[in-house]
Amino acid sequence: MQLVAFDTETTGLDVQKEHIIQLSLVKVETADWSVVDQRDWYILPEGDFTIPAEAEAVHHISKPFLLEHGVSLRSVYDDLVAFTDGCDFLSYNGNGYDAPILHYNLQRLGLDFRFEGRTWYDALLLERIHTAGMVDENGEKVHNNLTSAYTRYYGHPFEGAHNSLDDVMATIEVFKAQVAAHGWEWAQRDEFGFICFDRWLTKKGGYYYLTQGGHKGESIESMMRIDRSYLEWIVDKCKWTDDQTRQIILAVLSPKPMPQNTPITPKTPIPPKTPSRGKKRSKGTITDADLSLF
């Protein structure tokens, strides 16, 4: 099986507004983890853009550098599609950040990309599962940023953090170690089969669950009895809700009527209520885990 591991460097953290300024992809053969091919592009955004000083301090990519060396995302689009054709994906927090920001950057250019129908392995999610309950020598909860995860498996940090190509190579090594420790079956997760670009939903066991807000962790079906108006707000009034999310929620809010004389079969059981966790997460808000990826 071949996987495309990928990572981005960007102008900021808002996936719907910020620009990708470096996009790196490495194709690997999982039978022996050999590198098949790779792409590494510095991306010059179309139109006016700025790189905040705090972002440049992290990835060291400046606007003058992009003006001299960058290429447009539009110009590499065909290569991007061809390079990833038929492949599943691997990232470190890509499901929560890099895949959505790639989607919105392409969408602004009127370019389509097939995100559905692929498996999106996220080594950060797997590492959080792996380290659940672990504490360090000081009794503190262990860190799950990429550098910490790599160091945990290999005994030393990797070089080049915050260059997306180096981050991709480190992600491959971490994922390889995770699979070696737990097996491929452990790495298969429902969440890896669906990407919701506005971060509202995830999919587990055939059900869609809210991933943010005051009802984080609740399924859409459960929300129908808990607070239907909250789902209606997401669909009708939330400014950053994506059309994909609207369609999924509307299918539950407004199910198609059954034809007359159709036998009534038992409904699918509503999944048990999952205790809500955390505070409301508003548009553009990044969790502490997101901010400490390295």
Side-chain angles (χ1 to χ4, degrees), residues 180-220:
H182 301 284
W184 272 105
E185 185 176 351
W186 175 82
Q188 308 302 315
R189 306 279 166 175
D190 289 337
E191 301 94 310
F192 296 164
F194 176 75
I195 294 293
C196 185
F197 302 114
D198 56 19
R199 304 185 187 187
W200 265 120
L201 302 173
T202 189
K203 190 176 184 181
K204 301 179 183 180
Y207 295 100
Y208 293 101
Y209 291 81
L210 297 173
T211 59
Q212 59 179 314
H215 293 286
K216 179 180 178 181
E218 296 287 356
S219 71
I220 296 178

Side-chain angles (χ1 to χ4, degrees), residues 261-282:
N261 302 321
T262 299
I264 298 177
T265 56
K267 294 182 179 179
T268 302
I270 295 176
K273 179 179 178 181
T274 303
S276 297
R277 302 179 300 277
K279 299 179 180 179
K280 184 175 181 181
R281 185 174 180 180
S282 60

